[in-house]
Amino acid sequence: MSATTLDTAVSKRVDYSEAENQAALVAVKAHLITGFLVFLLMMLAGAAMRAAQSNMMPVEAGLFYQILTLHGVGVVGTAGIASTGVLWYFLRQYVPLSTKIFWLNFGVFLAGVVIILGSIFIGKYGGGWTFLYPLPGISLGAWSTGAAAAFLLGLLIIGTGFLILYLDMGRAILSQYGNFGRALGLTQLFGKEPVNPYHPATVVAGTMVLIVNFIGIAVGAVVLVMMLVNLYNPEFKPDALLVKNLIYFFGHVFINATIYASVVAVYELLPRYTGRPYKTSKVFYAAWFAIVFMVMAVYPHHLFMDAPMPMWAMITAQVLSYGSGIPVLVVTGYGALMLVYRSGIQWNTASKLLILSMFGWAAGVIPAIIDAMVSVNRVLHNTLWVPGHFHFYLLLGLLPMIFGFTFYLLNGKKEGKTPLTEKLGFYSYLIGGLLLALTFLGSGAHSIPRRWAVHMEEWVPYAQWGTLAATLVVLGVLLFTIRVLTALPKAPEPSV
């Protein structure tokens, strides 16, 4: 396909001034640089926990659970802000987004982060990022009510910033497409409009993320307020199972939305490396429409151990868990392979990371599906199998999408000679990430529990392998971060 034809296929863009584009690029770079720095710190925290479990580094149990809380909330929050940078960069090319509101969310996010850090390291809060009721208010003296409240308030503040950003996204999409159904391609799916193969995949993905994450964060805000009221008015006792449902609905939707936001990098960038457009179709629209409901309905697979849960919810969760990753993953993975096949793709760090993300997403969902089988879940759910599955698709699926987009901004489409920091960083990250995920899965298969600060002697070898793997991951991200910090700020925006 000629470059002219490809440009035509992706050229339906909103007109901005040069100054507006430069301001937007600076804002996106700020999101990505922050993401790299915080991801690196969170990976150091993860490596420290693995080293503590392997008896290679002494860490007091209370501090371990503070680090565990920081690691969980830090990775999830940073995935949210970095993936938003990816989605926002491409979505603004099709709908008129506000850079000021983009910055506002970033500032609100940082304010919430500061409060959360204070709650953990000053207030010594260590109740986990899932803040399951009634643990935040019953610490047996490990942390104060104020520390728990600060943690919950920090999350609430961060959520408020995201809700404001999503309101702006909704305004922009509605102004351009009239309604969310048209933006999702439903009018084409159901025959109300002819199929347009160049309807932007980014708009479809962005609309899906907007819908599910707005609902998820709103639910999270409700449960956070309920728990804050309980902290200072213990007579107010919400139903524990209801609260757990609300928390896991919020958490599951939010972390899954990060990968659905980041996958637009695949839709937008692989065509630029292969010279072939990514075409949408009725199958594509149907897949994204299905996942709107699936990603919100599947969360009860986290609650299989809760006997009072209604049977219909458990059955629904198990059935949907088998298929929730299939619709979008299949159309995205298959589409990516068809773009690459015999395309003469330009291989550089960005394109290699994007292809790695397809593998990580596809392979990482398999352990999740296995854990979602009730008979297996009863044995594996409270083991390191669960960190194995989410480290697999986060380290090898989600983050390579974000990293790949960053290196696209840094290097553009050029092939040329890959800098040594990028080359060593890629292979260190790939080997370390794969080894870490497999070590977690192997530990879970041998019934080693998760969330334990101290490991029994027979578990220590697994933790030692995990420490080695985590060290390789940290090294890879450190090399990536050095390259990003030194080159990204002054890198010009790549041409289409």
Side-chain angles (χ1 to χ4, degrees), residues 279-427:
K279 296 182 179 181
T280 50
S281 63
K282 285 191 173 184
V283 173
F284 181 87
Y285 303 138
W288 278 95
F289 185 48
I291 210 66
V292 169
F293 302 98
M294 285 185 171
V295 78
M296 292 191 290
V298 76
Y299 81 91
H301 66 209
H302 292 282
L303 308 176
F304 284 153
M305 304 291 281
D306 295 87
M309 280 291 291
M311 183 61 69
W312 64 265
M314 299 291 92
I315 294 172
T316 301
Q318 181 161 28
V319 172
L320 290 180
S321 293
Y322 295 154
S324 63
I326 293 175
V328 173
L329 180 56
V330 167
V331 297
T332 302
Y334 177 78
L337 289 175
M338 291 301 98
L339 284 178
V340 172
Y341 181 65
R342 292 187 175 180
S343 67
I345 184 173
Q346 301 174 35
W347 289 111
N348 61 14
T349 304
S351 56
K352 287 190 288 187
L353 283 165
L354 293 174
I355 295 301
L356 171 61
S357 74
M358 291 294 92
F359 162 74
W361 193 10
V365 77
I366 295 172
I369 293 173
I370 293 173
D371 184 55
M373 300 170 63
V374 174
S375 58
V376 176
N377 187 273
R378 291 168 60 187
V379 178
L380 289 183
H381 193 71
N382 285 323
T383 72
L384 288 172
W385 181 275
V386 173
H389 102 69
F390 61 70
H391 277 84
F392 205 126
Y393 78 77
L394 289 179
L395 281 176
L396 300 176
L398 169 64
L399 264 62
M401 294 177 187
I402 297 171
F403 292 171
F405 168 65
T406 305
F407 280 103
Y408 167 76
L409 288 183
L410 199 158
N411 295 322
K413 294 186 293 183
K414 66 182 179 182
E415 291 179 271
K417 186 177 180 181
T418 301
L420 184 61
T421 51
E422 291 184 22
K423 188 178 297 185
L424 291 178
F426 176 80
Y427 289 107

Side-chain angles (χ1 to χ4, degrees), residues 152-345:
L152 299 177
L153 181 63
L155 290 177
L156 188 59
I157 289 172
I158 290 172
T160 301
F162 274 105
L163 287 178
I164 294 171
L165 180 66
Y166 287 134
L167 284 173
D168 183 60
M169 285 186 179
R171 172 205 57 78
I173 291 171
L174 291 175
S175 71
Q176 199 79 355
Y177 290 92
N179 58 68
F180 292 140
R182 192 162 180 261
L184 280 169
L186 300 186
T187 50
Q188 298 177 50
L189 174 63
F190 296 115
K192 299 295 180 68
E193 294 180 357
V195 174
N196 173 16
Y198 299 121
H199 179 67
T202 293
V203 172
V204 177
T207 304
M208 175 267 174
V209 170
L210 161 67
I211 293 171
V212 302
N213 229 8
F214 191 91
I215 295 172
I217 293 172
V219 168
V222 169
V223 73
L224 285 165
V225 170
M226 290 169 60
M227 294 184 66
L228 281 167
V229 172
N230 168 260
L231 284 177
Y232 291 101
N233 181 18
E235 293 182 3
F236 173 72
K237 296 180 180 180
D239 180 81
L241 187 58
L242 170 63
V243 171
K244 190 172 184 179
N245 272 266
L246 296 176
I247 290 173
Y248 273 106
F249 177 87
F250 152 67
H252 183 88
V253 168
F254 188 87
I255 191 59
N256 276 270
T258 63
I259 200 164
Y260 291 120
S262 300
V263 77
V264 300
V266 175
Y267 295 147
E268 293 282 350
L269 297 182
L270 278 187
R272 304 182 192 191
Y273 286 112
T274 61
R276 297 171 175 174
Y278 192 101
K279 296 182 179 181
T280 50
S281 63
K282 285 191 173 184
V283 173
F284 181 87
Y285 303 138
W288 278 95
F289 185 48
I291 210 66
V292 169
F293 302 98
M294 285 185 171
V295 78
M296 292 191 290
V298 76
Y299 81 91
H301 66 209
H302 292 282
L303 308 176
F304 284 153
M305 304 291 281
D306 295 87
M309 280 291 291
M311 183 61 69
W312 64 265
M314 299 291 92
I315 294 172
T316 301
Q318 181 161 28
V319 172
L320 290 180
S321 293
Y322 295 154
S324 63
I326 293 175
V328 173
L329 180 56
V330 167
V331 297
T332 302
Y334 177 78
L337 289 175
M338 291 301 98
L339 284 178
V340 172
Y341 181 65
R342 292 187 175 180
S343 67
I345 184 173

Side-chain angles (χ1 to χ4, degrees), residues 120-142:
I120 294 174
F121 290 115
I122 298 176
K124 301 188 182 302
Y125 177 78
W129 88 270
T130 48
F131 54 93
L132 290 178
Y133 172 81
L135 180 58
I138 306 176
S139 69
L140 299 180

